[in-house]
Structure formats: C-alpha cells, structure tokens
Amino acid sequence: MAEGGGGIRIRRLGGDRAGEIRITRFLRNRAVTGAEMFATAAARASARCAGRAVLAIQDTTVVKSGGGGGLYLHPTLVVDAEDGSIVGLAHAQFLERATGRKADRRQRPIEDKESRRWLEGAAAAAKVCASAREVTVVADRESDIYSAFARRPPGVHLLVRAAQDRALEDGERLFARLDALEEAGRATLSLPARPGRPAHEATLAVRHGRFDLARPRNGAARNDPSTIAVHLVDVREIDPPPGENVHWRLITTRPVDGLAQALGVVDLYRRRWAIEQLFRTMKTDGFDIEAVRMEDDAPRQTLAAATLIAAVTIQQLVHARDGGDPQRLRPLLDAFEPKDQPLLEAYCATLEGKTQRQKNPHPRGSLAYASWVLARLGGWTGYYGKPGPVVMLAGWLKFQHGKYAIALTQPTPPLTNTDV
C-alpha cells in the first residue's frame, strides 16, 4: 500500500507504527465494507431528521481517475432546509467506470444506466428521512431525468436544475415557453468572486410557471406517465459584468404560486453548495483523497468511505463554530458518540486559559463546544479567527490520535465497520 505525497496518510492517522498497522488491517479486512459504513451513518442521520424540513442533496465526485474511467463516489447529504446545518449522510455508493457506453444509452432502460443512481439516492433519502416534516431532493443538471420525476418517492419533492429543452404536452419546447413568460419580479443576490468574474451584487429577473412535460421518445420507460406536471423557476442576471453570469432554470415538484415561493425555491437550490464544500474537504481543502496511491481497490474504497464520513463531521463542525442562538445549538451527538464527550472535555480542560476570553464559550454537550476544541487542537490561536475545514481536519486527526492512543492500551477488539 502506497500513499501520495498530498493525500491522507495512514501513518498520520495511526499516530505511531502500532496504530498504522491497526488501521491497515482494518482497511484490508474483507468484513469491512463501505456499504455497511454508509448504512451506519444513514441510521444515525435518520434519528436527527424528526420534525425537520430537510434537503437531500445529491452529486457525484471522482475518487480516482484514469483512462476515461475511474472510481467515483455518489453521496446524498442531508441538510436542514431552514438553517443549512448538516444533518448527516443519507446514502452513498461507489461507481466504477471503465469506458463510456454512449452509443446505445438512449435505447437502454434506466435500470441499466449509471444514471439510476439519482433514483436510488432519492429512494434512500425518502427512507432515511421518513420522520422529517418535509423532504426535498436537490441535484444539479446531470439529474434532469424524466424517470426521476416519474418515479419520485411518495411525499418527496424534487428540485433539479434543468439541462434539457424538453417537449411539452402541446408539442412546444420548454425553454421557449419559459422565456416568453412575464417577469414576476426582481431580486438582488450577492455573488462571490470566481475566475473571470468579480464579486458583485447581481440583479435577477424572476419568472415562474406550471408546465406539463411530455414523456421523451428515448430514455423513458413506456410505463412512465405520458406527462408530468412540474413548476419551473427561471432566474437570470440583468446587465451582468463581463464573465460568467447567473441563469438558472429550476424544475421542481414543489408548489410555486408567486414571487415569494419562487425565491424560496432559489434559496433551497443555493443550499446545494453544501455538497460542493463537502467534496472540497475530501479533496483540496482537506484529505486530498485523489492523491492517495493504493494498489488495491478494496482498501481504497474503505478509506474513501471513512473519509467521506469524516468530512461530513468536519463540515458539521465548521457550520457550528460560531455558536449562535442558544435555542438552536445542535447537540454534540449530531457528530460524535456519547463515549467521545469525556475525551473532548478532557482536551478542553488542557486548552482553556485562565481568563474568561480564553475559555470555551459554548455549553457542554453542544456541537459548538466540540468545534471550539477541535479548532484549538488544529492550531487555531484566536477564537474569532473562524477556522475553516483544514484547521478542523488537523484538530479531528489529533482527536483521533487521542482515541487510538487510549484504544491501544486496551485489548484489541474484533474489527468492525464502525471502527473508523
């Protein structure tokens, strides 16, 4: 097993040679699977969904690329629709691509396509988030699939960025009909800087309407309904500066009866950024999982699964770092086990100073309390410095050192899928 220079290092995770051997054995244990680790994470997220309006955000990212294919990971992240806090992981699966099969993709049923992952993610979200007050599955343009709307789980809404200019029931085209709508109003959106585009306040024109999509001739099953009623929300930037401008066509099964609801749909879609941040934590801003070099695929998948679960925890900590309204503080158990709390409190006692300003300002048992501890462990020297994912990652690794150090003084238990 070899590791790349920038990637997560097994030796660093283990803390010493004994810890390195233990983790290596864990990764190579045939009884350990990413599927079981994901199922455990989903069970924990399920308990946190009760009574909440949640978003189940799907996307796909590369773990290892090469030769036109590689290893990909498709997670479904559960996010609170109201405050954007991360609830947990509803589902994840690995995809192994050798070469594309574009020639006959239109004739193959959805069950034989890799794109079935979007349907499977929605079905998993419906099951995991069954106790939620409301569930909306959110995804980008790649999931604009007729069968995904035709087979959406009962009680679950979809919100997808349109990729295809679909035919309508009356034979007209979707985009032309949408462009012909009158503006429902305008809104202002603060856009961060991007390559080729400065940060600026964007003025957006908003249109919305109800449409009946016609079943496509190719790619949809004959038992899919001939039409599907959806709402479209179109937002486009007025007089944008040079560079890329905002233009979103959003398809949703949520009701949209006026400007306020249309803007509400836009706000929900903007929450999709949470999964992009998660991928950055797995990659350039944190673990750099793509730089890992392993000869065997099975331990690579196990490590990638553990990394995804750890990245979810780190993003939960980043979101909780500022504390905020005491009535809305998320509990420690959103990201940690009950047995972790004494260790976090022991670390906290060694990190606090003598003055009130140098003490952890958050109540014990809150996720904000743990965020303060791990930020200090990661080298954060000023409470108002707002640590990012890298600092949280360093603190998380040091916290794992403490857990492994304690574990290595005890008899080694049998390896299980929840050890990482």
Side-chain angles (χ1 to χ4, degrees):
M1 182 186 301
E3 300 133 41
I8 183 173
R9 295 177 179 272
I10 303 303
R11 182 168 297 176
R12 185 182 182 192
L13 273 177
D16 54 25
R17 179 60 178 169
E20 178 185 0
I21 292 174
R22 188 179 182 194
I23 294 177
T24 300
R25 287 175 177 172
F26 172 85
L27 294 177
R28 293 188 173 278
N29 190 330
R30 294 183 179 180
V32 177
T33 66
E36 224 178 292
M37 296 167 75
F38 295 148
T40 299
R44 293 171 179 168
S46 181
R48 305 170 196 146
C49 289
R52 304 169 78 169
V54 299
L55 306 177
I57 305 172
Q58 300 191 73
D59 207 350
T60 307
T61 190
V62 63
V63 176
K64 177 188 176 183
S65 60
L71 179 66
Y72 293 75
L73 179 60
H74 183 85
T76 302
L77 183 69
V78 183
V79 171
D80 190 296
E82 296 175 352
D83 64 13
S85 61
I86 294 177
V87 179
L89 195 65
H91 175 70
Q93 60 180 304
F94 288 105
L95 310 167
E96 294 188 68
R97 299 174 181 171
T99 56
R101 291 194 293 169
K102 294 184 178 180
D104 62 342
R105 65 182 177 86
R106 291 188 170 219
Q107 284 70 42
R108 286 185 284 123
I110 187 69
E111 293 81 5
D112 190 37
K113 295 179 181 179
E114 192 182 88
S115 55
R116 69 181 183 275
R117 67 189 185 276
W118 303 102
L119 282 69
E120 293 168 351
K127 181 178 179 181
V128 170
C129 306
S131 63
R133 185 175 79 250
E134 181 182 81
V135 181
T136 303
V137 176
V138 182
D140 209 352
R141 285 177 286 195
E142 194 175 353
S143 67
D144 180 10
I145 301 169
Y146 189 86
S147 292
F149 286 89
R151 307 180 196 184
R152 68 183 174 100
V156 172
H157 284 297
L158 299 186
L159 172 54
V160 171
R161 189 175 177 188
Q164 304 181 50
D165 188 10
R166 296 187 176 279
L168 301 178
E169 183 183 23
D170 58 9
E172 293 191 26
R173 307 304 295 187
L174 175 62
F175 291 172
R177 182 77 66 82
L178 191 59
D179 291 342
L181 292 176
E182 293 184 4
E183 286 186 23
R186 294 192 175 185
T188 302
L189 182 67
S190 296
L191 296 177
R194 297 183 60 177
R197 186 192 72 189
H200 66 286
E201 293 289 317
T203 300
L204 304 176
V206 182
R207 296 175 174 84
H208 65 86
R210 180 189 177 281
F211 300 89
D212 292 315
L213 304 181
R215 183 178 61 207
R217 296 179 180 177
N218 298 306
R222 291 190 175 184
N223 58 351
D224 284 345
S226 59
T227 62
I228 296 175
V230 295
H231 286 88
L232 266 289
V233 176
D234 180 288
V235 290
R236 63 187 72 187
E237 190 171 357
I238 303 298
D239 297 326
E244 182 183 356
N245 64 300
V246 173
H247 186 189
W248 295 341
R249 299 182 180 101
L250 306 177
I251 309 176
T252 184
T253 58
R254 296 176 62 91
V256 181
D257 296 325
L259 179 61
Q261 286 187 325
L263 293 175
V265 166
V266 174
D267 284 339
L268 292 182
Y269 181 75
R270 291 182 68 194
R271 298 284 189 197
R272 202 193 69 82
W273 182 244
I275 203 164
E276 300 289 352
Q277 292 176 310
L278 177 67
F279 291 156
R280 288 175 62 187
T281 302
M282 289 187 68
K283 296 181 176 182
T284 54
D285 278 3
F287 293 99
D288 201 6
I289 192 66
E290 288 181 283
V292 171
R293 297 292 180 265
M294 289 184 175
E295 297 177 1
D296 300 330
D297 289 337
R300 178 191 295 277
Q301 289 194 18
T302 302
L303 180 60
T307 300
L308 173 64
I309 293 169
V312 170
T313 300
I314 290 166
Q315 281 301 317
Q316 287 176 307
L317 291 164
V318 170
H319 190 273
R321 65 195 176 190
D322 294 330
D325 183 357
Q327 301 299 319
R328 294 186 63 86
L329 288 178
R330 297 306 307 164
L332 184 74
L333 297 184
D334 266 14
F336 294 91
E337 295 293 303
K339 63 184 179 182
D340 291 333
Q341 185 165 348
L343 184 55
L344 283 165
E345 292 179 357
Y347 270 124
C348 188
T350 67
L351 295 169
E352 289 182 319
K354 294 181 179 180
T355 68
Q356 190 62 35
R357 186 180 175 85
Q358 293 174 325
K359 295 186 181 298
N360 191 330
H362 307 296
R364 294 187 182 188
S366 69
L367 198 55
Y369 179 94
S371 177
W372 188 93
V373 173
L374 268 70
R376 288 295 181 103
L377 286 175
W380 175 34
T381 58
Y383 174 66
Y384 295 101
K386 294 188 177 182
V390 173
V391 174
M392 290 296 186
L393 169 61
W396 183 85
L397 289 170
K398 191 168 184 179
F399 179 72
Q400 297 304 313
H401 292 174
K403 291 176 69 174
Y404 286 128
I406 292 172
L408 289 171
T409 64
Q410 307 296 327
T412 302
L415 290 172
T416 68
N417 282 9
T418 57
D419 280 350
V420 170

